[in-house]
Amino acid sequence: MFLRVKKWTFPACYSFSMFFVAVLLMGAASLFGLAADAITHKENKIVQEIKFHPVYCFNKPTEKLIIRPDFIGCVIGEDEPLGESEIVEGTERPTDINPQVLARFHSAQAAAKEIGIEMSIDSGFRTTETQNYLYQRAIKEHKTAEEAKKWVLPSDLSRHPWGLALDVNLHHEKSGASWLEANGATFGLCRVYENEWWHFEPLTAPGGICPPLEPDASQVK
Ligand SMILES: [Zn+2]
């Protein structure tokens, strides 16, 4: 009888102990979780918050743009990060503009619209075929390949087929591109060439510093 009781009570005690340990662990884990969340929250604190009347951003109405160390962009309910560095070529050829580049543009577009400046992407992603066609056309127009490369690069060198280059307001008001040149770094977009006021690439982190302008595209390798 004793043995049977002991056999019965030992697992019960064991179970209870395990339950107690589990409760303790869960408590510790939640405390740790709260602490971790507090640290994350502290690190991600909003550095700057710009509120404005509803504008379209990411194709949805939004009322504020937030800037904090890990994120800058329009807020629609959940954060849509713009990335933390320069955006570079991937491993596979894309079929459209890089989504994060587009997100950067939409954030900039929303901020510009707030002060009455309109921006549009007049040329963004191009297929390699289109890019090569434009390059061959430029050679005819400028007589030599060397001269043509100052304006249009072949598809293996251009960042348009990588979805990483935007020609902003090329067929619209130059003021939109001028605004982006002055403010684009906040969104990680930079004017690249002295001879092309319309051409922008994601050459820095949002809130970073854009590199100095290159004279033209002919030195791209
Ligand atoms: Zn361009």
Side-chain angles (χ1 to χ4, degrees):
M1 184 65 181
F2 178 72
L3 276 174
R4 279 172 70 188
V5 170
K6 193 172 181 181
K7 272 182 182 172
W8 184 81
T9 53
F10 176 69
C13 271
Y14 183 72
S15 299
F16 178 74
S17 303
M18 286 301 102
F19 173 74
F20 189 67
V21 167
V23 168
L24 275 176
L25 282 173
M26 282 165 68
S30 63
L31 274 174
F32 179 77
L34 279 175
D37 188 49
I39 291 164
T40 310
H41 195 72
K42 194 179 168 192
E43 284 177 350
N44 291 349
K45 72 176 186 295
I46 294 168
V47 173
Q48 190 183 355
E49 185 171 312
I50 305 167
K51 289 196 175 182
F52 40 71
H53 300 300
V55 291
Y56 276 80
C57 186
F58 304 109
N59 299 318
K60 292 172 187 166
T62 184
E63 293 186 359
K64 64 179 178 178
L65 172 76
I66 66 166
I67 299 170
R68 61 181 200 226
D70 69 322
F71 170 82
I72 171 172
C74 308
V75 175
I76 306 160
E78 57 183 80
D79 295 354
E80 298 195 44
L82 304 190
E84 298 171 9
S85 62
E86 173 185 7
I87 302 173
V88 298
E89 290 90 339
T91 50
E92 283 178 34
R93 287 285 184 184
T95 55
D96 210 336
I97 296 175
N98 177 291
Q100 215 159 48
V101 173
L102 193 59
R104 290 182 183 196
F105 177 79
H106 283 155
S107 294
Q109 188 185 43
K113 190 165 183 165
E114 175 58 16
I115 54 167
I117 292 174
E118 298 285 342
M119 288 196 304
S120 62
I121 299 172
D122 288 355
S123 183
F125 170 78
R126 297 173 194 153
T127 62
T128 53
E129 290 79 11
T130 299
Q131 187 67 33
N132 280 330
Y133 165 76
L134 294 173
Y135 176 58
Q136 293 302 328
R137 200 178 67 174
I139 291 174
K140 281 183 188 145
E141 186 185 340
H142 298 281
K143 312 297 181 212
T144 65
E146 193 183 350
E147 198 60 30
K149 276 186 181 176
K150 290 181 181 174
W151 301 97
V152 184
L153 288 170
S155 65
D156 58 330
L157 296 177
S158 173
R159 298 188 95 206
H160 278 284
W162 285 110
L164 297 177
L166 307 174
D167 291 345
V168 176
N169 284 27
L170 179 54
H171 308 302
H172 292 84
E173 291 286 327
K174 187 183 174 183
S175 57
S178 301
W179 185 90
L180 191 58
E181 181 180 349
N183 300 283
T186 303
F187 309 92
L189 294 174
C190 304
R191 177 178 166 180
V192 187
Y193 305 116
E194 284 174 8
N195 67 332
E196 292 188 6
W197 53 260
W198 55 84
H199 182 98
F200 291 83
E201 294 183 17
L203 297 183
T204 190
I209 297 169
C210 287
L213 294 185
E214 298 285 341
D216 54 60
S218 61
Q219 300 306 310
V220 172
K221 288 185 173 71

